Amino acid sequence: MTDDEAPARTPSRAHAEAHGSGGGGAGISTRLNWLRAGVLGANDGIISTAGLVVGVAGATTSRPAILAAGVAGLLAGALSMAAGEYVSVSSQRDSERAALEAERRELAAEPEAELEELTELLSDRGLSRAVAREAAEQLTERDALRAHARVELGIDPDALANPWHAALASLVAFTVGALLPLLAIVLPGPSLRVPVTVVSVLAALTLCGVLSARLGGAPVPRAVLRNVLGGALAMAVTYAVGTRLGAAS
């Protein structure tokens, strides 16, 4: 490589860095976030539904009553999760759109100041002042708003969060998780309902703990222990309350 070639190639590396290495890194990160959210949603479905049905099973041996309570809890929890996720992601999307619109106005009103700002941001990432300036000029010529959105705001204009997708994902994840304790409690006979449910739920929570820890880069034993203890405590408390209420009725 000659000295004349080096400056022409260096901004391309800056351009790739500003755009998340061609978008591959951002795509992987987005998929991991969705997968993590799915695991956590299923985990919520397992714990909340298990606590509910075990509590009802402590109060009565009636399969229809346990099934009705479990289905009601599944539907209420899934719809609540979906609604909450829709509101949360809608707020995030509105904020991102507002930030992009403000940036668009700034680019129209003060293009030189925005170019200088982009230069400083790229320079702060380790580029020399000259290379950062050249990279900023090339990025601005290509798409100024996209460059500022990604480098300054950390937003990908082409990948704004979709609240409907988030709501559906939460609903499905919670439902899948809730089905395990619901089936475990209604399929066995009265004497095996609670033991089968407890074992099934703790096994599922162990798996969810492992997956969430690996996706988040956290220690697996700690995540599993926290998850299992939380689920066990929820079932123990609701079963004790249900048994007490059943004996009093």
Side-chain angles (χ1 to χ4, degrees):
M1 178 184 296
T2 66
D3 292 341
D4 292 337
E5 291 173 330
R9 295 174 63 87
T10 304
S12 296
R13 291 196 295 270
H15 177 83
E17 178 185 355
H19 285 254
S21 301
I28 293 173
S29 177
T30 299
R31 287 192 293 272
L32 286 176
N33 286 336
W34 278 106
L35 185 55
R36 186 179 299 114
V39 171
L40 294 177
N43 194 80
D44 288 343
I46 294 170
I47 293 178
S48 61
T49 306
L52 175 62
V53 296
V54 167
V56 176
T60 179
T61 59
S62 171
R63 180 179 277 111
I66 297 172
L67 179 60
V71 171
L74 184 156
L75 292 175
L79 293 174
S80 176
M81 286 280 292
E85 195 70 12
Y86 179 84
V87 171
S88 175
V89 175
S90 293
S91 298
Q92 175 188 336
R93 188 183 180 94
D94 290 344
S95 297
E96 291 173 342
R97 284 176 169 173
L100 290 173
E101 184 57 34
E103 194 64 36
R104 185 180 286 108
R105 290 194 299 268
E106 291 174 3
L107 285 167
E110 300 178 314
E112 286 301 320
E114 289 298 302
L115 178 61
E116 178 63 24
E117 181 181 33
L118 184 58
T119 300
E120 292 295 330
L121 290 170
L122 292 174
S123 180
D124 290 342
R125 294 189 174 191
L127 298 178
S128 68
R129 174 72 186 185
V131 172
R133 180 70 179 192
E134 185 173 355
E137 290 174 349
Q138 290 190 20
L139 290 170
T140 299
E141 290 175 3
R142 184 184 182 98
D143 191 328
L145 179 60
R146 185 184 303 277
H148 280 267
R150 290 183 169 178
V151 178
E152 179 182 349
L153 304 176
I155 298 173
D156 184 351
D158 296 327
L160 297 183
N162 187 313
W164 287 108
H165 290 171
L168 180 61
S170 293
L171 186 148
V172 171
F174 187 96
T175 300
V176 170
L179 283 174
L180 172 68
L182 181 58
L183 293 175
I185 201 77
V186 298
L187 293 180
S191 62
L192 295 176
R193 283 175 186 162
V194 173
V196 168
T197 301
V198 170
V199 171
S200 301
V201 166
L202 294 183
L205 292 177
T206 298
L207 178 59
C208 285
V210 171
L211 290 175
S212 62
R214 293 196 181 282
L215 290 171
V220 171
R222 185 185 305 169
V224 170
L225 181 62
R226 184 169 54 230
N227 216 28
V228 169
L229 287 179
L233 179 61
M235 289 186 289
V237 171
T238 56
Y239 183 74
V241 172
T243 302
R244 186 69 177 267
L245 292 175
S249 60

